[in-house]
């Protein structure tokens, strides 16, 4: 059993090696009813990871409605950016909470 677990861990490690073309992950905090940083630049295929450090739920909602991520208090919400462009986004619960994601090709 222990041997199987080790083999599985090794296999997963290989999948995550730098040889994979998978994108990187950009972290954004939701803290004090604000996104931090407010603006990030990533590439198509990268993952955005919003970490909600507040005690209320937030969303990351593109103003053009192309994506919408709900993040409960103390939780993370992730999304892979699949299209290039400049996306202004807000929290649906706190419309003054704004951010911008620039996705380069
Ligand atoms: Cu909010």
């Amino acid at each position: 059993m222990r041997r199987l677990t080790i083999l599985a861990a090794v296999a997963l490690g290989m999948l995550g090696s730098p040889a994979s073309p998978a994108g990187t992950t950009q972290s954004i905090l939701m803290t004090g009813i604000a996104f931090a940083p407010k603006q990030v630049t990533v590439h198509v295929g990268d993952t955005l990871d919003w970490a909600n450090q507040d005690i209320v739920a937030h969303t990351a909602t593109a103003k053009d409605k192309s994506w919408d991520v709900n993040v409960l208090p103390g939780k993370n919400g992730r999304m892979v950016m699949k299209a290039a462009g400049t996306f202004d986004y807000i929290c649906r619960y706190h419309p003054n909470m704004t951010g911008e994601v620039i996705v380069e090709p």
Side-chain angles (χ1 to χ4, degrees):
M1 198 60 173
R2 169 175 283 270
R3 186 180 189 86
L4 254 178
T5 305
I6 292 168
L7 285 172
V10 169
L12 284 171
M14 287 169 71
L15 284 173
S17 74
S20 156
T24 60
T25 297
Q26 169 75 54
S27 297
I28 301 169
L29 298 182
M30 295 163 146
T31 181
I33 321 290
F35 297 109
K38 278 178 91 74
Q39 186 195 67
V40 296
T41 300
V42 297
H43 291 91
V44 171
D46 286 351
T47 299
L48 292 180
D49 180 330
W50 285 274
N52 186 353
Q53 298 187 333
D54 284 336
I55 57 169
V56 294
H58 293 302
T59 73
T61 305
K63 282 188 177 174
D64 70 1
K65 306 272 200 274
S66 60
W67 39 267
D68 180 41
V69 181
N70 192 65
V71 191
L72 296 175
K75 302 290 187 185
N76 291 56
R78 295 185 188 86
M79 194 182 56
V80 177
M81 302 309 287
K82 292 181 175 161
T86 297
F87 300 91
D88 287 315
Y89 72 99
I90 61 166
C91 169
R92 281 189 278 111
Y93 309 131
H94 311 99
N96 290 335
M97 199 173 153
T98 62
E100 183 180 55
V101 177
I102 298 167
V103 185
E104 297 180 335

